[in-house]
Amino acid sequence: MIDMNRRGLVIAAGSAITASAVGLPAMAATAGRKLGYAIVGLGGYGLGIIIPQFKNCEHSKLVALVSGDPAKAKRVAAEYGVPESGIYDYKNFDSIKDNPEIDIVYVCLPVSMHAEYTIRAAQAGKHVMCEKPMAVSSKECEAMIAACKKAGKKLMIGYRCHFEAHNLEAIRLARSGAIGKLRYFRSEHGFTAGNPNAWRLKKAMSGGGSLMDIGIYALNAARYMTGEEPIAVYAKETTDRNDPRFKEVEDMIEFQLEFPSGVIGSCMSMYSANQNHILLMGDKGRIDLEPGTRYDGNKLWVGQDRSKQVDPPPGPGKTQWAAQLDHLSQCIVNNKEPIVAGEEGLRDIRIVEAIYRSAREQKRIVLA
Ligand code: NAD
């Protein structure tokens, strides 16, 4: 079965990315009604990045906030025009079920809280957008998928890069044969972690270290850039356990992914150096993104070296976040599965678990 994507590119249905990342399926507008989002967690990402994006959306609006800090919630509500009736805390969260303005709950909480709030949102009759990484374990991911299925609600993971212009163009170029037969994928993702007391460095809240938080971009990109699912992984961890930041979670973890076509993926994840890079090598050239998955300023080259920089066509929305938020709204109205549904998050977490196991047991792990 084949599918024709938005840019006229023929892609195989049922492959790892089907419509994802190479373009979005054509969908009807939301008939004038914007779907209402409740943002859970007014932290760096929820408040700093997501909430200001609704002004760029065509099909989505902000209607509610969930926060443990009433003064902050009130201030944010006033700034963004959310009525007082749309302010919730973690205790009265379940009463969102009585608010018909809320269609979608967007979970922007520490990873250990993703499963609980996704499941409670589904039980309250709401669709869910959940941040990456989906949860601390594949078991939790499965429970989240099951809860949304049982409630008849959509579940999407906040993989914004599937809506980002440079990534979309890189995938299109790779699929179009611009670099010949793909042989090798490489990606390094990292940043320098600071405060040792941050939830990201507490295993119970984060589920793991750099791999869960930032290395997952390299892993997810390896899958959407190649369009394949890895069949085996091999990983090695390097962490200075005397560093107060890394008492509980890993710093550096490098992992190799083997793909069915023979492509090798080589990734590095770090909490002690800043890097953001994706490189695809084919038998006729290279596609290079550096930075590749940032909020802005991503750059793309194609050719033998970095002499030809590519300015990608505009992405599917005004910004990658507007496209991501509107995609779920449109999927709900058109009853389509999101291109990065819960199953996509689960696939990554299953591979993450295999990577950790490989590093622990110092052996190659074959993936089911
Ligand atoms: P953050 O620490 O800045 O914000 C977390 C929010 O959760 C805060 O408002 C905090 O008050 C609230 N919270 C509620 N209960 C808490 C508890 N028990 N402990 C700690 N905080 C609690 O974190 P963040 O950077 O906003 O990350 C939130 C989620 O967003 C994470 O899943 C993260 O991976 C994801 N994220 C995604 C991207 C992206 O580009 N897609 C970028 C950054 C973060």
Side-chain angles (χ1 to χ4, degrees), residues 3-11 19 21-27 162-165 168-169 172 313-317:
D3 189 10
M4 188 76 81
N5 89 337
R6 197 172 51 87
R7 298 171 188 208
L9 186 74
V10 176
I11 50 175
V22 276
L24 302 171
M27 281 195 276
H162 290 243
F163 304 89
E164 197 278 330
L168 293 172
E169 183 62 3
R172 193 195 65 76

Side-chain angles (χ1 to χ4, degrees), residues 53-367:
Q53 285 296 326
F54 286 97
K55 66 175 181 297
N56 295 320
C57 290
E58 282 179 46
H59 309 292
S60 317
K61 61 182 179 184
L62 176 66
V63 297
L65 306 168
V66 183
S67 170
D69 181 339
K72 188 195 226 177
K74 216 169 162 179
R75 177 176 57 75
V76 176
E79 187 179 348
Y80 288 95
V82 172
E84 289 233 0
S85 58
I87 298 178
Y88 297 84
D89 59 31
Y90 297 104
K91 286 199 191 83
N92 67 17
F93 172 78
D94 304 288
S95 61
I96 60 168
K97 70 175 187 309
D98 301 319
N99 186 341
E101 288 293 307
I102 302 173
D103 299 288
I104 302 164
V105 168
Y106 194 156
V107 180
C108 295
L109 293 167
V111 187
S112 61
M113 301 172 79
H114 288 186
E116 178 187 343
Y117 282 87
T118 294
I119 292 167
R120 282 169 68 181
Q123 286 170 348
K126 307 300 179 186
H127 303 279
V128 183
M129 176 85 78
C130 177
E131 256 318 307
K132 50 53 62 180
M134 185 171 170
V136 298
S137 68
S138 56
K139 218 171 153 200
E140 281 194 355
C141 297
E142 285 161 8
M144 292 157 78
I145 292 169
C148 291
K149 239 174 217 145
K150 189 171 171 207
K153 298 293 154 187
K154 310 262 180 227
L155 171 58
M156 175 168 157
I157 308 304
Y159 283 125
R160 59 182 169 76
C161 297
H162 290 243
F163 304 89
E164 197 278 330
H166 296 76
N167 282 266
L168 293 172
E169 183 62 3
I171 293 161
R172 193 195 65 76
L173 286 165
R175 299 288 187 285
S176 72
I179 59 167
K181 187 172 160 48
L182 184 61
R183 298 298 300 138
Y184 184 60
F185 169 94
R186 208 179 92 197
S187 180
E188 304 87 33
H189 270 75
F191 66 87
T192 307
N195 176 8
N197 298 317
W199 66 260
R200 282 184 169 77
L201 302 176
K202 301 291 164 209
K203 179 116 191 277
M205 298 216 74
S206 58
S210 72
L211 176 59
M212 287 290 275
D213 194 50
I214 184 78
I216 198 162
Y217 286 92
L219 169 60
N220 197 249
R223 294 178 48 241
Y224 64 72
M225 288 292 180
T226 62
E228 294 186 59
E229 292 299 330
I231 51 176
V233 298
Y234 183 81
K236 183 174 176 293
E237 186 200 317
T238 307
T239 302
D240 175 2
R241 294 290 172 185
N242 292 318
D243 186 320
R245 296 171 299 173
F246 306 128
K247 295 280 181 221
E248 298 187 22
V249 299
E250 84 280 358
D251 171 12
M252 295 198 280
I253 188 158
E254 51 185 321
F255 52 98
Q256 205 168 78
L257 304 164
E258 295 170 31
F259 290 98
S261 66
V263 171
I264 296 295
S266 182
C267 304
M268 173 59 103
S269 170
M270 299 170 282
Y271 258 167
S272 56
N274 293 309
Q275 181 59 302
N276 190 302
H277 181 216
I278 294 170
L279 178 64
L280 286 83
M281 297 184 201
D283 60 6
K284 293 193 173 65
R286 305 151 40 116
I287 293 168
D288 210 348
L289 294 111
E290 189 174 10
T293 62
R294 288 244 167 94
Y295 292 166
D296 47 42
N298 292 324
K299 289 197 178 76
L300 170 66
W301 293 266
V302 63
Q304 291 301 335
D305 49 33
R306 288 190 175 184
S307 54
K308 190 178 165 212
Q309 194 172 340
V310 177
D311 194 12
K318 261 195 193 161
T319 63
Q320 54 185 316
W321 299 278
Q324 175 201 320
L325 291 162
D326 276 346
H327 178 64
L328 181 53
S329 297
Q330 288 185 285
C331 283
I332 291 164
V333 170
N334 291 279
N335 195 22
K336 294 244 162 78
E337 266 309 284
I339 59 168
V340 279
E343 286 76 4
E344 175 76 7
L346 169 62
R347 273 182 213 118
D348 273 350
I349 296 299
R350 283 193 177 135
I351 301 166
V352 162
E353 288 173 343
I355 290 169
Y356 281 139
R357 192 178 142 213
S358 172
R360 223 173 28 242
E361 298 179 5
Q362 297 185 1
K363 67 176 195 199
R364 175 178 176 268
I365 303 291
V366 174
L367 294 159

